[in-house]
Amino acid sequence: MKKRMIPLLFTVLVLVLGGCMGPSEGTTFSRSLLKKPWEEVVKQAKGTDIRLYMWGGDESINRYIDEWAAPRLKKQYGVKLERVPVSDTQDIINKLLTEKQAGKNKGTVDLIWINGENFHTAKEQKLLWGAFADRIPNVKRYVNRETPDIRLDFGEETQGLEVPWGKAQFVFIYDRNKVKNPPKSMAELKEWVRNHPGKFTYPAPPDFTGSAFVRQALFETTGGHKQYVRGMEDERFNRKAEKLWAYLNDLEPYLWREGKTYPESLAKLDQLYANGEVWMTMGYDAARAAGEIRKGRFPESTRTFVLDQGTLSNTHYLSIPFNAPNPAGAMVATHFLLSPDAQLTKMDPDHWGEDMALDPERLSKEDQARLKNMDRGEAILPSDKLAKHRIPEVPASVVNQLEKGWKSHVAKK
Amino acid sequence: MSRRLFHRFHRVAVFLFILFIVVPFIPLLLWSVSAGWRWPHVLPESFSLRAWTYLFSPSSGLWESMGVSLQVAIVVTLINLLIAVPAANALARYRFWGKRGVEALMYAPLVVPPYVAIMGLHLTFIRWNVTETVAGVVLAHLVPTLPYMLRPLVISYRTLGFQWEDQARMLGASAWARFRHVVLPHLLPGIAAGVGLSLLVSLSEYLLTLLIGGGLIRTFPLLLFPFLNGGDPAIGAALSLVFAGMTAGLLITTEWLLRRCYGDSHRTQPF
């Protein structure tokens, strides 16, 4: 008997478990909240909890949320914020995709830190709740939503589905004791590299930062970034990019190890810089150098520079997923995180050090003074200098074209 | 073997142990207290307790996550034992229709890459309404851990014929007594290996826990992974040390428990 029971039991188990399957019930959230007056939203949010899903790999960012923002949000609006650490936001997008497919209308994510590819996917798959940006008073008051670097998220129209939270900008990092006159353009950089063989290199794309460096070079060698903002068809792009490949190949013999090999990640390049093997590194974060100095990794004499024609910048955003259990709480939290106080504190290198999403000109006199007097250390460029040298990102299609082209024209040549 | 030769062997063994197990922990320990460590310095230039202070601050969520991790791993392992002992018995000592198929299904998680199965699993769990619960995470962890429990037990059962049990039956032992005094002592090495592996696999599971637990069931890897990814070597190292300590502690405790319960009374030497 025993011998026959096992497959039978197994079949029964499968059937029973299968029988449990069925559409899960859940409340469909009407978007009527988007039409209600703000006071109503605040009232509805009072006494609720929200969960903010965000990358959790930086101590000072975690502390800013847990120790600065959360207690104040609780005190001012009665909304309790819980931070959920994430290693890769793409995992959360996949989670939302599956939830959408399963018809799960009450998820776990109220607010998510998002941009670029992940926003693109989320928008395309309709994973976001709605155009709530217009409803947030602090966004209306302090954010200039018409500037391209806020309206477009890597070339994708945000359409109010997400609210800008902060800005990152590409900067070059150098050691002041070794580099007396940092270059101001890609042409000057080439000159500098020729005069200092072996002291410069960049991470091999598709490393995120290496890829950004190549984009930076693309803009300067082919006449500006504007032509790429809407993407470009392959044939025209390949013709344009010839000048870029020529530039990078001219550079190659003077790079670290004569360009025979490239560091495969920014972490590797940073290590070379920290060890003094190369004299420059780079980063898609204007405050990163300051952080590395504080951690003792980079020498005290580390400084940053941008190019005269500007460096890439991107904005990252907060958004509410389609199945957020508490959209009212998420809206109030967004409002709070976009307040001048929260944004200026975030900018302080003791907290996070990242540039704010607000338009400095729209701030009150006191806040403008606070911004001006903020001492972010010498390793971070002044915010008006950064703001004046900012160019927007280009769509993912251009990034792909570049990464493919770099492999065949520079790496394999 | 002469005594001297034995001593020499002993020394070599201790040396190798130190070389491969202890030495890798030294840089981790140094990283966790370093505040600046640049080539070509052999030791960090300055020290700070920044990483450890952060770990013990409420923001890190360290203690809760350790509790959740241990709870999940232990429950998963107990359930695995309940499933794997009879399953291994059937797979090792009985013949039945469809045995190959059942075996393949049981071991499938070892060969099928987890990414392939994870989405379907998530979808199913949503339909069963068990996402965001500890029970759901436990259920999900059974998938990758069960084969690791099953495999050593199948091997243990294979070396156990029916003769001993037959003899015990002839002497009047009940089914439970036969299992308790004949089968179990023989299985002990397999159980020890399976329990260890099951605990380890469950403790280091990341993606399943994130998706099924929805980020609400926060196990240790959920805390650790962002730091390893983000490049804060000090905090990453400190967390890795705590993780290694926790795992080692758990393994030593289970081994001690198993030894105490069965090892001595039956004079078997499973370890």
Side-chain angles (χ1 to χ4, degrees):
Chain A
M1 183 209 85
K2 204 172 184 181
K3 294 169 199 173
R4 287 177 179 233
M5 277 298 278
I6 289 165
L8 188 71
L9 267 176
F10 194 79
T11 322
V12 168
L13 193 76
V14 168
L15 287 176
V16 167
L17 291 181
C20 300
M21 287 167 63
S24 66
E25 69 266 43
T27 34
T28 316
F29 283 102
S30 65
R31 287 176 177 76
S32 64
L33 198 61
L34 289 172
K35 294 195 183 78
K36 285 187 181 151
W38 182 246
E39 295 72 40
E40 193 96 345
V41 176
V42 172
K43 218 164 97 192
Q44 203 176 319
K46 198 165 183 167
T48 61
D49 296 359
I50 67 144
R51 290 194 201 92
L52 166 58
Y53 282 58
M54 54 184 274
W55 179 67
D58 187 287
E59 180 206 345
S60 43
I61 298 177
N62 293 350
R63 278 185 189 264
Y64 167 71
I65 296 295
D66 296 336
E67 290 166 17
W68 192 89
R72 282 165 180 79
L73 178 65
K74 172 97 186 138
K75 205 170 155 209
Q76 286 176 31
Y77 294 97
V79 175
K80 196 170 152 237
L81 183 148
E82 184 189 353
R83 176 179 60 84
V84 179
V86 173
S87 181
D88 185 346
T89 307
Q90 205 188 336
D91 293 338
I92 303 303
I93 297 298
N94 286 335
K95 170 179 144 75
L96 291 172
L97 263 172
T98 313
E99 287 176 355
K100 177 121 197 168
Q101 207 182 334
K104 185 174 162 128
N105 289 323
K106 191 166 189 273
T108 59
V109 188
D110 291 301
L111 208 53
I112 181 172
W113 183 13
I114 194 174
N115 81 343
E117 267 305 273
N118 288 322
F119 173 68
H120 180 77
T121 314
K123 186 181 165 190
E124 217 164 50
Q125 304 291 331
K126 302 201 174 1
L127 300 178
L128 302 174
W129 180 58
F132 73 107
D134 299 321
R135 309 295 311 155
I136 312 287
N138 276 341
V139 173
K140 282 188 280 187
R141 208 171 303 151
Y142 300 114
V143 176
N144 181 357
R145 294 191 42 227
E146 289 317 305
T147 59
D149 63 328
I150 282 183
R151 208 187 70 228
L152 298 171
D153 181 352
F154 280 79
E156 185 78 47
E157 293 277 349
T158 60
Q159 293 174 343
L161 292 167
E162 48 178 12
V163 163
W165 191 22
K167 279 177 187 166
Q169 186 163 1
F170 188 91
V171 292
F172 290 90
I173 298 169
Y174 69 104
D175 187 338
R176 191 186 56 174
N177 288 348
K178 292 171 179 160
V179 183
K180 294 299 168 202
N181 293 310
K184 292 188 186 66
S185 65
M186 280 291 175
E188 284 185 38
L189 177 71
K190 186 164 151 186
E191 208 50 43
W192 186 89
V193 171
R194 279 192 185 190
N195 294 332
H196 301 85
K199 296 300 175 200
F200 182 85
T201 188
Y202 56 92
D207 172 82
F208 177 74
T209 311
S211 181
F213 172 80
V214 175
R215 287 204 289 288
Q216 203 70 56
L218 172 77
F219 300 158
E220 293 219 358
T221 49
T222 61
H225 66 276
K226 287 210 175 76
Q227 49 192 329
Y228 302 104
V229 168
R230 302 265 160 208
M232 191 181 269
E233 63 277 24
D234 281 341
E235 203 185 319
R236 202 165 143 234
F237 177 84
N238 290 338
R239 239 179 310 131
K240 283 259 171 202
E242 265 164 36
K243 277 188 186 150
L244 168 70
W245 310 134
Y247 174 88
L248 292 174
N249 285 326
D250 281 353
L251 214 57
E252 200 170 71
Y254 304 97
L255 295 179
W256 173 74
R257 291 207 184 154
E258 284 128 40
K260 289 194 183 86
T261 168
Y262 291 80
E264 75 266 21
S265 66
L266 178 64
K268 283 275 160 64
L269 177 61
D270 280 349
Q271 198 57 47
L272 292 176
Y273 175 78
N275 295 346
E277 276 193 69
V278 297
W279 292 356
M280 283 189 204
T281 176
M282 51 194 80
Y284 214 134
D285 173 1
R288 208 173 64 91
E292 296 293 335
I293 295 173
R294 208 172 33 238
K295 283 182 202 153
R297 200 150 162 246
F298 287 0
E300 293 281 346
S301 49
T302 296
R303 297 290 179 272
T304 53
F305 70 89
V306 289
L307 302 174
D308 278 351
Q309 283 189 32
T311 52
L312 281 165
S313 80
N314 74 64
T315 307
H316 51 85
Y317 301 78
L318 291 169
S319 187
I320 304 177
F322 72 99
N323 61 358
N326 179 9
M331 283 171 82
V332 169
T334 308
H335 173 70
F336 170 78
L337 290 171
L338 267 286
S339 66
D341 191 21
Q343 289 274 315
L344 283 164
T345 307
K346 179 159 76 77
M347 211 173 156
D348 186 336
D350 286 338
H351 284 279
W352 178 338
E354 179 210 54
D355 223 342
M356 58 179 187
L358 310 182
D359 181 357
E361 284 170 18
R362 296 192 184 189
L363 294 179
S364 68
K365 283 277 172 300
E366 298 87 71
D367 286 334
Q368 279 181 353
R370 187 174 158 194
L371 179 64
K372 217 173 161 188
N373 297 329
M374 191 178 296
D375 181 19
R376 298 175 82 203
E378 285 173 84
I380 307 179
L381 293 170
S383 44
D384 55 330
K385 172 148 191 170
L386 284 171
K388 272 183 205 132
H389 295 87
R390 206 172 261 163
I391 52 180
E393 267 296 351
V394 290
S397 62
V398 176
V399 178
N400 289 338
Q401 286 166 327
L402 265 181
E403 285 171 2
K404 239 168 58 198
W406 187 84
K407 217 170 252 167
S408 50
H409 291 97
V410 181
K412 285 202 188 131
K413 174 211 52 121
Chain B
M1 194 180 347
S2 79
R3 205 175 199 137
R4 262 181 69 188
L5 200 64
F6 176 78
H7 268 290
R8 201 167 284 170
F9 261 117
H10 188 73
R11 263 190 211 160
V12 170
V14 169
F15 175 75
L16 285 178
F17 172 78
I18 291 176
L19 192 69
F20 289 110
I21 312 275
V22 180
V23 168
F25 279 98
I26 297 173
L28 269 183
L29 195 66
L30 286 174
W31 264 122
S32 77
V33 293
S34 75
W37 194 358
R38 279 194 288 269
W39 187 86
H41 301 273
V42 178
L43 292 174
E45 293 137 78
S46 53
F47 293 92
S48 101
L49 287 175
R50 177 183 67 90
W52 291 101
T53 330
Y54 174 71
L55 245 54
F56 290 101
S57 76
S59 178
S60 78
L62 178 69
W63 301 116
E64 296 93 308
S65 77
M66 271 172 91
V68 175
S69 260
L70 290 175
Q71 185 193 351
V72 169
I74 291 170
V75 175
V76 162
T77 304
L78 289 177
I79 297 177
N80 269 332
L81 260 181
L82 287 180
I83 303 175
V85 170
N89 187 13
L91 289 176
R93 305 201 294 179
Y94 292 88
R95 260 186 248 166
F96 53 88
W97 181 84
K99 181 174 161 179
R100 289 260 160 228
V102 173
E103 208 169 355
L105 215 61
M106 292 287 218
Y107 290 130
L110 288 181
V111 281
V112 178
Y115 284 92
V116 177
I118 238 162
M119 228 186 99
L121 204 65
H122 188 200
L123 202 63
T124 312
F125 275 42
I126 290 175
R127 293 197 174 132
W128 291 353
N129 243 331
V130 289
T131 48
E132 292 101 42
T133 61
V134 176
V137 172
V138 166
L139 205 57
H141 277 203
L142 291 180
V143 177
T145 52
L146 182 60
Y148 288 99
M149 181 68 100
L150 196 60
R151 190 77 197 136
L153 281 175
V154 165
I155 292 166
S156 288
Y157 261 115
R158 277 213 185 115
T159 58
L160 174 74
F162 288 104
Q163 296 94 327
W164 291 357
E165 282 157 275
D166 287 344
Q167 191 162 17
R169 182 163 42 207
M170 280 191 284
L171 293 172
S174 66
W176 169 246
R178 291 199 301 274
F179 178 73
R180 166 82 177 73
H181 295 288
V182 178
V183 179
L184 206 56
H186 185 85
L187 293 184
L188 222 49
I191 291 181
V195 164
L197 286 170
S198 165
L199 287 173
L200 282 179
V201 172
S202 168
L203 283 176
S204 34
E205 193 59 55
Y206 173 75
L207 198 56
L208 261 181
T209 319
L210 177 73
L211 287 179
I212 306 299
L216 305 190
I217 312 301
R218 238 161 281 163
T219 57
F220 203 94
L222 258 63
L223 222 68
L224 176 64
F225 272 45
F227 282 104
L228 294 184
N229 242 352
D232 189 328
I235 293 181
L239 278 170
S240 303
L241 281 174
V242 174
F243 185 65
M246 177 177 83
T247 319
L250 191 60
L251 288 182
I252 291 168
T253 315
T254 44
E255 207 171 296
W256 178 78
L257 274 176
L258 281 173
R259 213 193 268 258
R260 222 181 89 129
C261 290
Y262 295 107
D264 295 339
S265 61
H266 292 276
R267 294 191 174 183
T268 44
Q269 287 187 310
F271 305 108

